[in-house]
Amino acid sequence: MDIIIVGIGKIGKKLAKVLSEENHNITVVDINEEKVERTVEMYDVKGVSGSGTHCDDLLEADVRTCDLLISVTPMDENNILTCLIARRMGAKNTIARVRNPEYISQVNFMRDELGISMMINPDFQAALELFRMLQFPSVMNVESFANGRIDMAEIKIKDESPLCDTKLSNLSPKLSKNMLICAVCRDDEVYIPNGDFVIRKGDSVYVTGSHKELGRIVKDLSGIRKSNSIKNVMLIGGSRISIYLAKLLISSGKDVVIIEKDKIKCRNILEHCPKATVVLADANNQDVLIEEGIESVDAVATLTGADETNFLVSMFSESLGVEHGITKINNNSLVKILKKIEGYSYINVSEVTCDIITQYVRAKKGVNSSYMKTLYKLVDGKIEAIEFLAEDYVKFLGKPLSSVKIKNNTLIAAVNRKNKIFVPGGNDTIEKGDTVIVVSKDYAMYNLNDILA
């Protein structure tokens, strides 16, 4: 596909990397000439120094023949206007990054009347992912499929885990019932395991199962006798992500404290989250955190715009005995350190946004845009977990899976059939209307037929 990306910030740069690696023809546009030159040097893309709201600059980027324009500048209004101009000039599809809830509430009008194909709110998407992670404090990350009916959890293996030093084929039927270990990360290597694979201490395993049973699965696999639910959370930073997350947490009965040093932001938080406790203070002051009760909360989420602050507050909260924490980071070099801290995980907003847009691009290039439902890139993009809808285009409908030759490093992790979740065996079949979760390594997949060898 011919794709134009307007705005080379964190998200735009990430999109340029991922989509160029998937062999799309990418042109980046930004008013900062140095950013354009740097991006062109780093990735296999073309560059235009200019604005997405200027027709001449869009013409130079070949907007008239482009399949998709993605506008991810910091300004909502610029992104919307860029998409409107691009559509008028011939772009087939457009995506706008929009953070203002007032614009997001008009998404149907924007799509139907103005022709914007997708409006994506990175802050709200990140808050949803953070909320899922806080539902299961014993896991490092949680991804959701089938409208929340299927989850994939990342679990760190410790000595007390029944998986430690165990061959997967030797797992007891009780332990392995209704779940599948679909990927393993060991040091810098990633594996799609078979029955002969042996789990070791320190491995990160990715497990799929129904949402209803995930708590039991995590408890069984982690070896935790008692799983404490999270009742109160401290959020560091009064960003839009914090506001969205606070609303989700409060609606689920959690107590929320938000620490923010900017008075205007504090007022904004109170306006949107009147049930939250908002403290005007600098989170870099450790005495303030202690005074506000950081030692007694169940979880801390550090969501400021500075990686250094987020990382240091996470380290401090862990030293005080806070069992669970989530850190928002932009620099993935910190991930290895965070993964060594039991009960602490991270989120990268650019990656969350990029996954959603990549899913859209894959779907547009695939058989039908409605067949790919969800896509997640895991372990720095080394593993993909994708949800597909099975329809008549699938070549192996109704055939026992034991008779279907599937590519190496690819497996079917779970199936949702009329809201019944199961891990398929060799005698099971894929039927029309099923939603199917596929996990793969080394392959970019666009529809279910891509799993075939």
Side-chain angles (χ1 to χ4, degrees), residues 362-372 388 393 446-447:
R362 293 261 192 100
K364 282 294 181 185
K365 189 177 178 181
V367 176
N368 185 296
S369 61
S370 66
Y371 294 158
M372 181 183 291
F388 292 110
Y393 77 91
Y446 298 86
N447 63 72

Side-chain angles (χ1 to χ4, degrees), residues 30-283:
D30 198 283
I31 58 175
N32 187 318
E33 188 173 352
E34 289 184 10
K35 282 187 177 181
V36 173
E37 291 176 353
R38 233 176 4 249
T39 306
V40 170
E41 289 174 2
M42 291 176 67
Y43 311 117
D44 184 19
V45 302
K46 299 177 183 177
V48 173
S49 177
S51 169
T53 59
H54 291 178
C55 296
D56 290 343
D57 295 335
L58 289 179
L59 284 173
E60 187 178 349
D62 294 327
V63 69
R64 286 177 173 169
T65 58
C66 85
D67 298 298
L68 173 65
L69 179 140
I70 307 167
S71 189
V72 286
T73 74
M75 298 294 293
D76 289 355
E77 291 78 9
N78 281 355
N79 293 333
I80 293 171
L81 182 57
T82 295
C83 288
L84 294 180
I85 295 172
R87 283 286 288 163
R88 289 281 186 177
M89 296 180 70
K92 297 182 180 66
N93 299 280
T94 58
I95 296 175
R97 183 182 86 158
V98 178
R99 302 171 69 192
N100 190 326
E102 292 181 9
Y103 292 131
I104 289 293
S105 65
Q106 303 175 58
V107 62
N108 291 333
F109 174 80
M110 295 282 190
R111 182 185 63 240
D112 299 335
E113 301 299 327
L114 302 182
I116 298 177
S117 309
M118 174 189 284
M119 294 173 65
I120 184 167
N121 185 336
D123 300 329
F124 181 65
Q125 295 298 330
L128 283 176
E129 184 145 331
L130 287 161
F131 182 69
R132 285 200 301 267
M133 293 162 73
L134 288 168
Q135 303 309 297
F136 302 98
S138 299
V139 306
M140 298 177 67
N141 287 293
V142 180
E143 311 294 3
S144 182
F145 304 89
N147 296 321
R149 295 185 179 91
I150 300 173
D151 287 322
M152 175 183 291
E154 180 185 359
I155 303 171
K156 192 80 167 181
I157 300 302
K158 297 177 287 187
D159 282 329
E160 58 266 32
S161 170
L163 284 179
C164 194
D165 298 325
T166 301
K167 185 186 292 188
L168 292 184
S169 59
N170 292 337
L171 285 180
S172 69
K174 180 180 178 181
L175 194 63
S176 60
K177 184 179 179 181
N178 296 328
M179 69 90 179
L180 180 70
I181 296 174
C182 51
V184 178
C185 180
R186 179 177 296 164
D187 298 324
D188 291 328
E189 294 294 323
V190 179
Y191 307 89
I192 303 292
N194 57 25
D196 294 326
F197 192 89
V198 178
I199 302 293
R200 303 296 185 194
K201 177 185 175 182
D203 287 350
S204 290
V205 301
Y206 291 82
V207 183
T208 52
S210 72
H211 178 78
K212 291 181 179 179
E213 295 192 43
L214 187 63
R216 187 270 304 171
I217 292 169
V218 170
K219 184 177 178 181
D220 289 347
L221 297 187
S222 62
I224 299 173
R225 294 183 180 180
K226 183 180 179 182
S227 181
N228 295 321
S229 61
I230 287 177
K231 298 177 182 177
N232 47 74
V233 182
M234 179 175 284
L235 308 182
I236 308 298
S239 63
R240 284 191 179 97
I241 297 176
S242 295
I243 293 174
Y244 286 126
L245 180 57
K247 286 183 174 181
L248 292 168
L249 291 169
I250 291 169
S251 67
S252 65
K254 310 293 192 257
D255 294 325
V256 177
V257 176
I258 304 176
I259 310 291
E260 169 56 49
K261 63 182 180 180
D262 185 278
K263 185 181 293 186
I264 295 175
K265 284 188 176 181
C266 284
R267 289 173 181 167
N268 186 46
I269 296 166
L270 283 171
E271 181 181 339
H272 290 90
C273 305
K275 293 185 178 180
T277 300
V278 182
V279 179
L280 177 62
D282 189 348

Side-chain angles (χ1 to χ4, degrees), residues 419-430:
N419 296 332
K420 180 182 178 182
I421 311 301
F422 63 94
V423 175
N427 294 326
D428 288 309
T429 60
I430 301 300

